[in-house]
Amino acid sequence: VLAIELTFPAVGTSEIALPEPWTLARRLEEVVAEQVQGFGGLLRQRTPSLFRALVGIPRALDRMPERAVHTALAVRHLVEEAAGDRRSDPPAAVRLGVHLGEVLVDVSGPFTAGRLLAIGDTLALPVRLLGVAGPGEILVSRTVRDLVAGSDRTLADCGTRQLKGFEGAWQLFAVTDGVTVVPLQPAQ
């Protein structure tokens, strides 16, 4: 599960014309959706600043944790690129969290995204990672770290943290590699 939090500059703190923040927010939402779907994920939750994506539903995909990390890298790259285009204004910021675990899914009847009801702690943990992540940071759980071992990802140990609603301390890792994942281009 990939959780993405986008924050935007407050209107009135810069010289932004009123419609521009909404245009930026809509464009970044489109970018997030394109990248999630392009890497084999399904965007399940959308609020103005929080997105939750599921990778490997309705069917398992090869290298699901690596796909989720690639998606996070691509989204971060595109948000940073968009922020670079707005040099004089405070940029949008992105925080990302990735965790892998079991999810209960209602599979009664034929699969449609509208009928998908995924529940479980696996969905909540990436959102808790957002509360610990800094701007531009991608945090992953130890489970994800163990499953992407041997790939081209470089992860730094961030120590252990207590996460609200979860027992015990969780070991967290930040994606630190300089490998740039080329974002997917929207279909023409």
Side-chain angles (χ1 to χ4, degrees):
V1 176
L2 168 63
I4 303 165
E5 179 185 56
L6 291 171
T7 54
F8 301 96
V11 176
T13 62
S14 67
E15 302 301 317
I16 301 173
L18 186 56
E20 191 173 330
W22 299 111
T23 303
L24 175 64
R26 274 194 297 270
R27 177 62 193 129
L28 288 176
E29 181 179 345
E30 291 169 5
V31 163
V32 167
E34 290 166 0
Q35 297 306 307
V36 166
Q37 292 166 0
F39 281 101
L42 178 64
L43 199 54
R44 259 330 277 155
Q45 177 185 1
R46 293 182 192 197
T47 64
S49 65
L50 178 66
F51 303 88
R52 195 175 316 185
L54 306 175
V55 178
I57 292 178
R59 62 188 155 279
L61 300 170
D62 288 339
R63 302 179 357 244
M64 284 185 293
E66 196 169 336
R67 284 176 182 260
V69 171
H70 274 94
T71 304
L73 284 162
V75 167
R76 179 177 70 185
H77 173 78
L78 289 170
V79 169
E80 289 172 351
E81 193 174 81
D85 293 342
R86 299 166 47 82
R87 296 178 225 0
S88 64
D89 298 320
V94 63
R95 290 174 168 77
L96 303 110
V98 182
H99 177 62
L100 180 80
E102 293 181 358
V103 177
L104 298 175
V105 178
D106 177 10
V107 292
S108 60
F111 175 80
T112 63
R115 290 188 47 132
L116 178 64
L117 174 63
I119 58 172
D121 287 344
T122 300
L123 296 172
L125 189 80
V127 176
R128 295 296 182 218
L129 294 177
L130 297 177
V132 180
E137 192 170 37
I138 302 170
L139 289 182
V140 302
S141 65
R142 181 184 186 100
T143 304
V144 172
R145 193 280 315 251
D146 292 347
L147 292 169
V148 299
S151 71
D152 59 352
R153 302 280 67 92
T154 304
L155 303 172
D157 189 340
C158 295
T160 59
R161 296 285 180 97
Q162 294 292 130
L163 300 174
K164 183 179 176 183
F166 291 89
E167 290 185 25
W170 285 78
Q171 189 172 13
L172 306 179
F173 298 85
V175 178
T176 60
D177 59 80
V179 176
T180 300
V181 173
V182 177
L184 299 170
Q185 300 302 313
Q188 298 297 326

